[in-house]
Amino acid sequence: MSSAPPNPPNPPWDVHRLPVAADRTFLVTGGNAGIGYFLAEQLAATGAVVVLGSRDAGKAGAAADSIRAHVPDARVRHLRLDLADLSSLEGAVERLDVERLDAVVHNAGVALDDPPRRETDDGHELMFGTNHLGHFALTRWLAPLLSAAPAARVVTVGSFAARSERLDLDDLESAGDYRPGRTYGRSKLAQMTFGFELDRRLRAAGSTVSSVVAHPGGALDSLTPSRPPLHTTTAGERLRALPAALMVQGKEAGAWPVVRAVLDPGVRGGQLWGPRVFGLRGAPRSEPVPAHMADAAVAARLWAASCELTGVEPHLGLIPAGR
Ligand SMILES: NC(=O)c1ccc[n+]([C@@H]2O[C@H](COP(=O)([O-])OP(=O)(O)OC[C@H]3O[C@@H](n4cnc5c(N)ncnc54)[C@H](OP(=O)(O)O)[C@@H]3O)[C@@H](O)[C@H]2O)c1
């Protein structure tokens, strides 16, 4: 009796030869610039429909034109999306006008270098409010569309800046002692903690959706290929940045672990993906999840506070489509 031949092993992941995903739709927040632009360009090359979530129609239009110039037949659209305006997110998702969503990439981010502390119009600290609360609430409104796909993913873009931070659960919005770098790192830690907690809750609910966290390492504009008029790196800038290239990379490479987290069938919910070399540059690999990011007690308190601050709760797998 002859037995069936074993399945061939998956070929090694090649960031320049991505699998075809022509039947899928992906939403990239902040898809008009930086890493988000390159996420969109690389995902568009798979044949998927890519929606650029951006608050600025002009910037999104320029990004879409650039993607089409680099990816013949790219299917790319704009969705007006302002993560700092929580009450606008339900309407934004209604305008998405798709029957299902195969992945959302929570990429958009604000990183402030200097005081003073700033707030969104909703009255939330700007980085925590945009990076964490905006994506938390967006996940709630996208839930029916993600649940309608066969195996959707929520991919949260974290940061190495979160490794050395700890959340202050009594002052999540840095009202007491504001330091921009620390508040940024904590906003990324809140996002990553949310990403891992979301996956635990999805598994417990028996959802088909999974949640993965990925980070770009260190990604500098000066090491990034030009995409005029969006972004131009001069030869001089590139030359001056060469020593930095020993440690970090450009934004097109920063997109690689995130793209893999969206596309690779071998990626599992609850995983953390980042660049191979010191977690700062290179090809994507999965990393151990630092204990403080997987602390279920901290995550539960963050989740409850986020529900209170946004007025919504993401419940994937439990919300029927159309509600
Ligand atoms: N670059 C790095 O080395 C690095 C390292 C670790 C993690 N990260 C993370 O990677 C992600 C992308 O970083 P990047 O370096 O590409 O940043 P970037 O070049 O500054 O781009 C940020 C993107 O977020 C968008 N955005 C900001 N506020 C928004 C809002 N209220 N609503 C919707 N979109 C908004 C921006 O849109 P506008 O053009 O309208 O402002 C822009 O598209 C961020 O989450 C960041 O924390 C980056």
Side-chain angles (χ1 to χ4, degrees):
M1 197 173 88
S2 66
S3 58
N7 288 331
N10 287 335
W13 189 259
D14 181 342
V15 298
H16 300 294
R17 291 173 61 89
L18 299 174
V20 173
D23 56 345
R24 298 202 225 155
T25 303
F26 304 131
L27 169 63
V28 180
T29 71
N32 64 278
I35 294 166
Y37 167 81
F38 286 97
L39 288 171
E41 187 184 287
Q42 290 166 30
L43 290 172
T46 68
V49 173
V50 179
V51 184
L52 310 177
S54 169
R55 54 190 169 170
D56 187 313
K59 288 184 185 177
D65 287 346
S66 177
I67 291 172
R68 289 190 194 102
H70 288 85
V71 180
D73 304 324
R75 296 187 293 160
V76 54
R77 290 173 38 195
H78 170 224
L79 175 71
R80 189 160 44 80
L81 182 75
D82 184 354
L83 291 159
D85 180 359
L86 296 177
S87 64
S88 71
L89 298 178
E90 181 180 9
V93 169
E94 279 167 14
R95 288 195 311 278
L96 192 51
D97 195 25
V98 294
E99 286 177 4
R100 59 172 236 219
L101 187 65
D102 296 281
V104 56
V105 184
H106 290 336
N107 160 79
V110 189
L112 300 178
D113 294 326
D114 301 306
R117 181 180 179 280
R118 290 171 54 191
E119 291 189 349
T120 65
D121 288 346
D122 297 337
H124 299 295
E125 187 285 318
L126 185 63
M127 292 184 274
F128 181 77
T130 307
N131 304 354
H132 172 61
L133 294 181
H135 284 119
F136 183 89
L138 180 65
T139 308
R140 153 66 184 92
W141 299 116
L142 290 174
L145 296 176
L146 293 163
S147 300
R153 291 182 186 173
V154 177
V155 178
T156 296
V157 179
S159 171
F160 57 80
R163 285 191 172 267
S164 53
E165 297 297 344
R166 298 294 180 272
L167 294 177
D168 181 348
L169 290 161
D170 297 319
D171 187 17
L172 284 168
E173 306 216 40
S174 308
D177 176 17
Y178 177 75
R179 289 179 240 168
R182 188 181 69 180
T183 297
Y184 167 73
R186 287 180 175 180
S187 78
K188 300 308 291 181
L189 176 56
Q191 285 191 266
M192 296 169 88
T193 302
F194 161 69
F196 296 123
E197 174 68 6
L198 178 64
D199 199 68
R200 285 191 291 271
R201 290 180 184 237
L202 290 166
R203 300 285 69 75
S207 173
T208 54
V209 183
S210 53
S211 169
V212 185
V213 180
H215 73 93
L220 302 184
D221 281 321
S222 49
L223 292 171
T224 301
S226 293
R227 291 291 186 269
L230 299 182
H231 158 77
T232 312
T233 310
T234 64
E237 285 166 340
R238 189 166 276 276
L239 203 61
R240 282 191 295 280
L242 273 183
L246 292 172
M247 286 303 289
V248 294
Q249 56 192 353
K251 293 195 173 181
E252 88 293 4
W256 292 342
V258 188
V259 166
R260 184 162 184 180
V262 172
L263 292 174
D264 185 347
V267 167
R268 296 283 166 259
Q271 288 183 333
L272 173 62
W273 285 79
R276 184 170 300 280
V277 185
F278 309 124
L280 288 173
R281 68 173 171 86
R285 60 142 193 216
S286 74
E287 298 177 4
V289 178
H292 71 296
M293 295 181 187
D295 185 323
V298 169
R301 286 186 61 190
L302 174 69
W303 189 281
S306 306
C307 291
E308 200 167 308
L309 291 167
T310 60
V312 299
E313 173 155 23
H315 257 318
L316 288 96
L318 304 179
I319 302 173
R323 287 192 52 199

